[in-house]
Amino acid sequence: MEIHRDRGYTTMSAPFNSPHVMAMAQDVASGVVREKRKKRQAMLMPTVLIVDMSGNDLPDLRCWPEAFDSLWEPSDGFLAVGGMTVSTRSRKPELRFFLNPFTDRHVLERATALGSECGVFADMVQQLQARRRRAG
């Protein structure tokens, strides 16, 4: 508990992969992926959806791959969903991407080739390369 000028507030934290944080991530992730307008958009054109999480209780994106693993469905049209946070200190966005496992590999390769020159898409490119190595 911290006290400042007659006001007290409690700060709490949880491990990034605690059940509470995972439940929050799954709630946010499912809301984004299942939103009707975004689903229509993804069916019209290849879409990488980026969610700005900067003002949210969930600034730690490390648990998002696990949160998304169970949410993807074969009918999902997104190529990937990215979570983004921007720190007020650095103002440089941090992005973590979560590739749709049902998306055709060639479509993903074309999309990541477009972003390969931009550093913020490095995570998406690395995930695609890892997927290719596993596929052999």
Side-chain angles (χ1 to χ4, degrees), residues 79-108:
L79 301 177
V81 174
M84 178 183 77
T85 59
V86 180
S87 166
T88 56
R89 293 185 185 133
S90 72
R91 305 232 184 251
K92 179 183 176 189
E94 174 192 352
L95 282 115
R96 294 284 307 264
F97 291 93
F98 316 103
L99 303 178
N100 180 344
F102 300 104
T103 299
D104 181 71
R105 182 175 58 96
H106 299 294
V107 173
L108 276 174

Side-chain angles (χ1 to χ4, degrees), residues 23-55:
M24 284 192 324
Q26 287 179 330
D27 184 52
V28 172
S30 64
V32 169
V33 171
R34 303 291 168 242
E35 202 274 322
K36 289 180 183 177
R37 290 180 305 135
K38 294 298 179 191
K39 284 180 76 165
R40 279 194 304 270
Q41 176 187 346
M43 293 304 183
L44 295 173
M45 67 185 75
T47 302
V48 175
L49 182 64
I50 298 176
V51 181
D52 185 357
M53 302 295 294
S54 300

Side-chain angles (χ1 to χ4, degrees), residues 51-93:
V51 181
D52 185 357
M53 302 295 294
S54 300
N56 195 306
D57 285 357
L58 189 63
D60 192 329
L61 300 174
R62 291 178 290 174
C63 67
W64 271 48
E66 292 82 12
F68 268 95
D69 277 347
S70 63
L71 295 176
W72 289 116
E73 296 175 356
S75 63
D76 288 332
F78 298 105
L79 301 177
V81 174
M84 178 183 77
T85 59
V86 180
S87 166
T88 56
R89 293 185 185 133
S90 72
R91 305 232 184 251
K92 179 183 176 189

